[in-house]
Amino acid sequence: MLKININSKLILKLTALFAVICLALCSCSININVNGSDSESKTTVSEIGTLSVHYLDVGQGDSIFIELPNQKCMLIDAGENMYGKSITEYINNLGYTNIDYLVATHPHADHIGSMAYVVKHNDIGEIYMPKVTTTTKTYENLLTAIADKGLKVKSAKAGMNIIDDNDFSVNILAPVKIDEDNLNNCSIILKMNYKNDSFLFLGDAEKKELETVTADMSAEVLKVGHHGSRTSTTKALLEKVKPKAAAFLRDMTEKSRKQDMSSFVISSQCNNCMAYQAKYKRKTATAK
């Protein structure tokens, strides 16, 4: 049985640029800890058999760093273009000098804005991106950075396995098909399984793309899609996922009805689910 160690009344208001929610997964327990930036405190690479998921504060954007149980690591997205140096320093200070798996869920600036910097300043292994193009400078900069280092991109699609290693796997559930009219609906959806526990990462996938997924989407921990937008987190989705914890990545200054609706949906329609909202406000330094 999954054990969530978290204060249900906790509301985060953190001033640190890279406040991190660290979900350390060992066997069948998840420990959720909230810390300020520890970019100056050197730590070592996680031990074999430990899975740690770090949800990084990049404002209204996504960036998730994962320490894998095989002592490798993965970065999913990299926020807007001002966060590259901080992301790199954060990863380096965890003891990693390379990124084994780099995933760009879709080519929007709040997900790939700093990825060109990350590619330029880190040793990169495999790169996964959906097979869709756009003409933005941000996207072109990323492709240039990849080409300059002689790297290749793997076109992500449903059914691909990034890792399949005994009791640990990372599988791509989407995109099933490409929607060139809405890049959100080209998002890479990842499911990570370790022993008896699982994480689901939705990128910015909206209802249209979510309805195309035929694979098992059940997971203990859900990274809520599209920063908590009601266009992504539906009752139908929650019935499929049945999460025990849900992480929101969004900026405290962004106040929109659609995000508030998603918070309500998570908390009221998901039985026994902890709606864990990582809300960041840069000028506030309190944690309750």
Side-chain angles (χ1 to χ4, degrees):
M1 179 178 179
L2 189 67
K3 181 180 179 182
I4 305 292
N5 296 320
I6 185 169
N7 182 345
S8 62
K9 296 182 179 179
L10 186 63
I11 298 177
L12 307 180
K13 295 180 180 179
L14 303 175
T15 187
L17 174 64
F18 269 76
V20 60
I21 304 171
C22 177
L23 295 93
L25 192 61
C26 183
S27 184
C28 60
S29 67
I30 294 178
N31 298 307
I32 301 180
N33 303 309
V34 182
N35 305 296
S37 174
D38 58 357
S39 59
E40 296 181 358
S41 59
K42 200 80 172 179
T43 59
T44 58
V45 174
S46 63
E47 296 179 359
I48 295 176
T50 298
L51 173 65
S52 297
V53 178
H54 303 252
Y55 295 88
L56 306 183
D57 176 19
V58 289
Q60 189 73 7
D62 275 19
S63 187
I64 303 165
F65 180 69
I66 307 173
E67 299 178 86
L68 305 174
N70 56 7
Q71 290 195 303
K72 294 185 177 182
C73 66
M74 174 181 291
L75 180 68
I76 304 174
D77 291 334
E80 293 275 5
N81 65 3
M82 71 283 287
Y83 295 105
K85 183 178 179 180
S86 296
I87 292 172
T88 295
E89 289 178 350
Y90 184 88
I91 293 171
N92 293 162
N93 280 301
L94 285 173
Y96 295 89
T97 57
N98 66 287
I99 298 170
D100 300 287
Y101 306 99
L102 183 64
V103 179
T105 59
H106 64 293
H108 275 161
D110 58 336
H111 290 253
I112 65 164
S114 289
M115 198 163 281
Y117 184 100
V118 169
V119 170
K120 290 176 184 177
H121 294 86
N122 295 274
D123 292 329
I124 306 296
E126 299 176 8
I127 302 175
Y128 292 84
M129 299 171 64
K131 194 173 184 179
V132 64
T133 61
T134 183
T135 58
T136 65
K137 187 65 176 176
T138 298
Y139 181 68
E140 291 174 358
N141 288 343
L142 174 56
L143 294 183
T144 299
I146 291 171
D148 286 348
K149 295 190 78 170
L151 300 170
K152 302 294 184 182
V153 174
K154 295 188 177 183
S155 297
K157 59 183 178 180
M160 292 178 65
N161 297 323
I162 296 178
I163 300 172
D164 188 4
D165 185 15
N166 296 323
D167 56 1
F168 173 57
S169 64
V170 181
N171 303 312
I172 298 175
L173 309 189
V176 176
K177 57 183 180 180
I178 296 299
D179 181 358
E180 295 187 356
D181 294 327
N182 186 345
L183 295 179
N184 288 333
N185 286 329
C186 299
S187 289
I188 296 174
I189 297 178
L190 290 179
K191 183 175 180 180
M192 182 176 295
N193 296 293
Y194 181 48
K195 297 184 178 180
N196 296 319
D197 300 309
S198 55
F199 289 80
L200 187 66
F201 305 95
L202 296 181
D204 274 0
E206 298 183 350
K207 181 180 178 181
K208 182 178 178 181
E209 181 178 18
L210 293 169
E211 289 176 344
T212 68
V213 178
T214 58
D216 177 19
M217 297 181 73
S218 61
E220 275 73 28
V221 182
L222 169 68
K223 197 293 292 184
V224 176
H226 206 186
H227 320 290
S229 170
R230 62 182 175 184
T231 63
S232 176
T233 307
T234 63
K235 183 177 181 180
L237 172 70
L238 294 174
E239 289 174 347
K240 288 182 179 180
V241 180
K242 296 181 174 65
K244 292 181 175 144
F248 291 76
L249 301 182
R250 73 188 201 190
D251 196 319
M252 272 286 285
T253 59
E254 291 287 334
K255 296 187 180 296
S256 66
R257 195 180 308 170
K258 64 181 181 180
Q259 290 172 330
D260 291 340
M261 175 60 73
S262 184
S263 302
F264 172 77
V265 170
I266 283 281
S267 60
S268 67
Q269 297 181 351
C270 181
N271 293 332
N272 301 316
C273 175
M274 182 72 68
Y276 196 82
Q277 300 180 49
K279 299 180 180 179
Y280 305 97
K281 191 173 182 179
R282 285 165 178 70
K283 294 184 179 181
T284 304
T286 60
K288 297 182 180 179

